[in-house]
């Protein structure tokens, strides 16, 4: 698997070539594939799927 900087925490296992990643510095969560989005993530160009980890948790658990 790819190596990301320490501030990127992988939240899920690889599924359908996609992972969930938390940027611990910005608190943003990304749903990222390995078909070019990994480069976008590392360059700061990938749009976050959730603006905060809390928003991700609310969506994930349906709170």
């Amino acid at each position: 698997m790819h190596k990301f900087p320490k501030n990127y925490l992988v939240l899920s296992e690889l599924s359908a070539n996609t992972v969930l990643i938390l940027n611990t510095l910005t608190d943003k969560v990304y749903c990222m594939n390995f078909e070019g989005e990994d480069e976008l993530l590392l360059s700061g160009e990938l749009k976050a799927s959730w603006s905060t980890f809390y928003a991700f948790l609310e969506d994930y658990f349906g709170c």
Side-chain angles (χ1 to χ4, degrees):
M1 188 157 203
H2 293 278
K3 295 189 181 213
F4 294 105
K6 292 180 181 181
N7 60 300
Y8 289 107
L9 177 64
V10 178
L11 300 175
S12 67
E13 292 188 24
L14 184 62
S15 174
N17 204 32
T18 303
V19 293
L20 293 171
I21 297 183
L22 169 66
N23 182 330
T24 59
L25 298 177
T26 65
D27 199 38
K28 295 180 180 182
V29 179
Y30 301 86
C31 184
M32 185 209 75
N33 68 47
F34 288 97
E35 297 175 10
E37 288 184 349
D38 49 336
E39 288 98 16
L40 292 174
L41 176 73
L42 294 174
S43 69
E45 298 176 42
L46 185 64
K47 184 178 179 193
S49 301
W50 292 273
S51 59
T52 65
F53 184 62
Y54 182 77
F56 163 74
L57 292 175
E58 280 188 317
D59 200 27
Y60 186 83
F61 290 108
C63 300

